[in-house]
Amino acid sequence: MSKQRFLFTSESVTEGHPDKLADQVSDAILDALLAQDPHSRVACETSVTTGLVLLFGEVSSAAHVNFARIARDTIARVGYTDAKYGLDAEHAAVLVSLGQQSADIAQGVNVALEQRKGEEHDGYLDSVGAGDQGMVFGFATDETPEYLPTSIALAHKLARRLAEARKSGEIPYLRPDGKTQVTVEYEGDVPVRVDTVVISAQHDPEIDLKQIRADLIAKVIGPVIPDTLLDAGTRIFVNPTGRFVTGGPHGDAGLTGRKIIVDSYGGFSRHGGGAFSGKDSTKVDRSGAYAARYVAKNLVAAGLAKKVEVQIAYAIGVARPVSIFVDSFGTGSLANEELAGLIACHFDLRPAAIIEQLDLRRPIYRDTAAYGHFGRVDLDLPWERTDKAETLRQAAREVAIN
């Protein structure tokens, strides 16, 4: 029987995309607060538009930071330093409306339901309740070295390369905003070719499309996409509207948390709906999603599945997950329920345990706010480690024997 052939598409955006700019500001504020007070509670949202930055949400912290200064420095670092871009870091208005975390939420995070009800509990690890209800998903696949689907891995690399070419001056007419999209053709579970590449790159007004297309094919697409995945049928679209001068927050307002599929698995896996950026690690939207990725990646690294999706669900104020679900899509060496049993035995998925094991009360988040939170070989992120793989491998052997 021939294997099914299908197309799958994922997108990424550059750090100058307005939504990603907002994410980076929110996470820069989180990092600054954690640097002074590791127990800061943060839910910081950022909105950006022409000449204006709005910071709003909830912060409870002993830290003292200049929120407006952090926002300006982050915007400048991305490259919005000229009024002709519609947002100038030093001259934009920055409005701050950050209040304290709700006491109703805080009481459930500070003392989990298990302790409030007087149930038998495990001290500190049962003391932190989830900061919200909800479900998170983790995913991993062995089709790339990053344990990511090929489409999102390539889209991120294109977006990063676009920014590098701008910042280095290699393509001097580029501006900060940009988007990439890659369509991969699969045969069964194997990526066999790239069908379509789309790049939209903001540029200076005097540059014509012919030059932009030639430069991006030679200096962005060429260095990123392997020749083995390109063929005569691969379609390449560069700035398909014909012009992309007005961009960034001037062309489209930006808001924290609007690129959750870019942040995760490019649509290849399900998503619980919660954003990551601007949230401290008591928020399971973030820490739970990182833990789910950690679990999934270790399962694949252990050779227990070629690809796997893990769902973890929480109730607000309750430490222990209400459910764990595993799907290996028929690629597992054990049944899904047996994989779930291994997870329950070898991973502690209570918020306090996740925070402790992955060391999440540190200022490590700003760099995750562009180019994805997973598969980041350029960063030493604890949820990307495969230190549990050998333990899982041995445990799986015992399950198989028994």
Side-chain angles (χ1 to χ4, degrees):
M1 180 183 292
S2 62
K3 295 180 180 179
Q4 179 190 11
R5 295 182 76 96
F6 62 92
L7 301 177
F8 193 87
T9 301
S10 298
E11 71 160 348
S12 184
V13 297
T14 67
E15 62 211 61
H17 185 281
D19 293 330
K20 274 288 130 206
L21 183 64
D23 284 343
Q24 289 167 92
V25 171
S26 291
D27 271 342
I29 287 171
L30 172 63
D31 277 358
L33 291 165
L34 291 175
Q36 293 186 31
D37 178 6
H39 293 275
S40 296
R41 301 277 175 79
V42 184
C44 177
E45 311 292 340
T46 301
S47 182
V48 292
T49 187
T50 306
L52 175 65
V53 181
L54 174 61
L55 310 176
F56 58 102
E58 299 80 45
V59 170
S60 295
S61 176
H64 297 280
V65 301
N66 185 330
F67 296 117
R69 184 71 262 160
I70 293 167
R72 294 186 192 281
D73 289 347
T74 304
I75 292 166
R77 177 174 175 260
V78 170
Y80 287 105
T81 56
D82 194 319
K84 68 184 179 183
Y85 296 162
L87 186 69
D88 178 351
E90 287 305 317
H91 298 99
V94 179
L95 305 182
V96 180
S97 180
L98 289 164
Q100 285 202 328
Q101 184 184 56
S102 160
D104 293 345
I105 295 174
Q107 71 176 5
V109 177
N110 295 340
V111 184
L113 181 67
E114 288 87 338
Q115 289 196 353
R116 282 181 279 128
K117 290 179 66 177
E119 296 177 358
E120 183 178 346
H121 59 80
D122 187 16
Y124 167 72
L125 295 181
D126 266 335
S127 68
V128 178
D132 202 352
Q133 71 175 44
M135 64 283 189
V136 294
F137 288 90
F139 181 80
T141 172
D142 65 0
E143 70 183 68
T144 65
E146 300 91 349
Y147 291 81
L148 287 179
T150 302
S151 53
I152 189 63
L154 290 176
H156 282 323
K157 289 177 181 178
L158 288 173
R160 181 186 290 276
R161 176 63 192 139
L162 199 59
E164 289 171 351
R166 169 179 64 89
K167 290 182 171 182
S168 69
E170 186 176 356
I171 308 181
Y173 55 79
L174 292 179
R175 292 183 176 183
D177 198 359
K179 302 181 77 172
T180 63
Q181 184 173 286
V182 178
T183 301
V184 174
E185 183 172 353
Y186 283 80
E187 185 174 348
D189 289 328
V190 179
V192 294
R193 59 183 292 273
V194 169
D195 181 81
T196 309
V197 178
V198 183
I199 299 184
S200 295
Q202 188 187 16
H203 58 88
D204 290 344
E206 66 274 11
I207 308 301
D208 65 70
L209 181 59
K210 184 177 180 180
Q211 181 179 349
I212 298 170
R213 178 178 171 83
D215 285 344
L216 265 57
I217 290 175
K219 299 176 182 179
V220 177
I221 296 174
V224 168
I225 299 184
D227 291 340
T228 54
L229 292 178
L230 298 172
D231 58 32
T234 300
R235 297 174 295 170
I236 296 176
F237 297 103
V238 174
N239 285 7
T241 68
R243 179 179 168 87
F244 186 7
V245 173
T246 302
H250 184 43
D252 188 11
L255 182 65
T256 299
R258 284 205 302 206
K259 286 292 175 283
I260 58 176
I261 302 304
V262 171
D263 284 342
S264 53
Y265 307 103
F268 215 94
S269 171
R270 285 169 283 196
H271 196 290
F276 304 152
S277 291
K279 297 176 181 177
D280 74 89
S281 54
T282 65
K283 312 294 191 299
V284 290
D285 280 345
R286 181 164 224 158
S287 56
Y290 291 168
R293 163 66 173 180
Y294 179 56
V295 171
K297 188 173 180 180
N298 275 274
L299 288 172
V300 174
L304 304 186
K306 293 183 66 62
K307 62 179 177 179
V308 68
E309 182 181 74
V310 177
Q311 185 204 56
I312 311 168
Y314 293 92
I316 188 169
V318 180
R320 298 175 187 271
V322 299
S323 68
I324 299 171
F325 168 81
V326 183
D327 188 354
S328 65
F329 307 96
T331 70
S333 61
L334 298 174
N336 288 334
E337 59 268 24
E338 292 173 324
L339 292 176
L342 289 181
I343 294 170
C345 286
H346 297 283
F347 294 90
D348 192 335
L349 299 174
R350 292 170 292 178
I354 294 170
I355 291 167
E356 184 177 89
Q357 181 168 4
L358 299 183
D359 196 10
L360 297 181
R361 295 193 190 274
R362 298 178 291 140
I364 59 172
Y365 300 107
R366 185 186 66 178
D367 288 339
T368 68
Y371 312 116
H373 293 245
F374 308 123
R376 296 295 298 273
V377 297
D378 58 314
L379 302 174
D380 181 19
L381 299 175
W383 54 89
E384 289 297 307
R385 297 172 187 164
T386 55
D387 51 341
K388 293 269 194 177
E390 182 56 35
T391 298
L392 290 170
R393 208 164 12 241
Q394 293 178 5
R397 291 193 196 104
E398 295 175 6
V399 171
I401 291 172
N402 296 329

